[in-house]
Amino acid sequence: MRRAATSLLLVPLLLAGCTGEAAGDLDLRVGGAFGARPTIDFPDGKPVAGLQVDELATGKGERLGADDVAIVQYTAHVWDGRGNRLVDSSFNRGTPAAFPVGELLPGLERALKGRRVGSRVIAAIPPGEGFGANPPQGVAAGEELFYVVDILGAHPRGASVESEGGTLAGVRVGGGARPALAVPAGPPPARFAAKVLARGEGRAARPGQLVVTQYEAAVWGRRKVFEATWASGGPKAFKLGDGSVIRAWDRALAGVPAGSRVLMIVPPADGYGRAGNPAYGIKGSDTLVFVVDLLAAY
């Protein structure tokens, strides 16, 4: 779980292809290997009017569904015919980015929908299909955007790890596709504890990576779930080891392979500390319980 609210993600545009690939009617060239920082040779002048999308290469993976979370590498420029300045890039952030299909800019939705994992797509997005009259910092109203996006992965809303049930410190987790937490009565343990209920065979998570998860969380004293991603919108992605998640997640997930289900008991010192998390009604003295499905690590 994040320590703070999710930061604004600038919209990306998909592109895939070989170095020096021409971008069709857009009259520009994009270089660089799939998954690597691209180079872009913009033509003189401004782009033609309207949304322009080109798929320079087509992947062979799953198609992006309506509610999937796409994991992408991307760059985003303002295309103004002058400096064509870079305004955002996953490469500058240090990890791929997560883009929930169905919640993106209109032009980006049209560019990404139905694309396959492994594809690189480019898109020139006019203001009317981008941020409109209220763009974020770094983009002025009326400016055209240009994105290059490599689609690394797709995770559907109901994704989960198939697992049998398990217990830890009296907490019970049901088996099946969606786990169910049952927290016992009585005082919680004083120390952090974690247990891998099902061990996957994927890439091991390590600090600095983006991990994609589903989870269910409860406050021990109330014996009640306060958040479950399966019910609230689907997989969530977090970067390990940079302070963006509570310390318990860094401790419990580092070194665990993707495809695993992990149960953890989180005392305040490994959770939100003395400040708690008022947005969820969590006090500084609350012990938390999480069951986490580690879907992927990038």
Side-chain angles (χ1 to χ4, degrees):
M1 174 181 289
R2 287 193 185 278
R3 285 188 172 275
T6 303
S7 60
L8 173 67
L9 292 178
L10 286 181
V11 181
L13 300 180
L14 299 185
L15 154 83
C18 302
T19 300
E21 187 74 28
D25 295 339
L26 294 180
D27 193 28
L28 51 73
R29 300 182 72 85
V30 176
F34 177 85
R37 186 189 295 269
T39 60
I40 306 169
D41 183 10
F42 286 95
D44 294 334
K46 295 183 178 180
V48 297
L51 177 69
Q52 302 290 316
V53 179
D54 195 13
E55 185 174 79
L56 301 187
T58 301
K60 298 182 179 179
E62 295 293 322
R63 290 189 182 275
L64 288 180
D67 295 318
D68 286 1
V69 173
I71 305 300
V72 304
Q73 292 279 25
Y74 74 96
T75 60
H77 289 255
V78 165
W79 189 352
D80 58 9
R82 300 186 298 275
N84 304 313
R85 68 186 184 280
L86 178 71
V87 292
D88 201 7
S89 173
S90 60
F91 298 99
N92 292 348
R93 295 168 182 261
T95 63
F99 289 92
V101 180
E103 301 177 20
L104 305 174
L105 299 183
L108 185 59
E109 289 284 344
R110 292 174 61 184
L112 292 180
K113 185 173 290 185
R115 305 289 181 181
R116 290 188 179 276
V117 172
S119 295
R120 173 174 278 186
V121 180
I122 59 174
I125 301 182
E129 297 205 57
F131 293 110
N134 298 297
Q137 186 176 2
V139 179
E143 288 189 312
E144 183 110 3
L145 301 173
F146 179 78
Y147 290 91
V148 177
V149 181
D150 291 351
I151 310 175
L152 307 182
H155 301 279
R157 181 169 183 163
S160 65
V161 171
E162 290 289 344
S163 172
E164 296 181 355
T167 62
L168 175 65
V171 175
R172 298 191 308 276
V173 176
R178 177 176 171 178
L181 280 173
V183 180
R191 294 184 178 181
F192 168 82
K195 182 178 182 180
V196 178
L197 302 181
R199 186 169 293 274
E201 298 180 352
R203 183 182 188 184
R206 66 176 187 271
Q209 287 183 326
L210 186 79
V211 295
V212 184
T213 67
Q214 297 264 41
Y215 61 90
E216 191 164 286
V219 175
W220 187 289
R222 291 180 225 145
R223 304 173 64 194
K224 182 179 179 181
V225 169
F226 67 86
E227 187 178 17
T229 57
W230 285 276
S232 63
K236 305 295 182 185
F238 309 104
K239 186 175 181 179
L240 287 184
D242 70 344
S244 61
V245 294
I246 58 176
R247 187 171 70 166
W249 279 53
D250 290 333
R251 294 182 65 181
L253 299 183
V256 175
S260 298
R261 177 169 289 173
V262 180
L263 176 60
M264 63 184 90
I265 312 297
V266 183
D270 290 286
Y272 293 103
R274 294 180 180 179
N277 188 331
Y280 286 94
I282 297 170
K283 297 179 293 186
S285 58
D286 283 336
T287 291
L288 309 178
V289 181
F290 290 90
V291 57
V292 181
D293 281 6
L294 179 59
L295 302 179
Y298 293 88

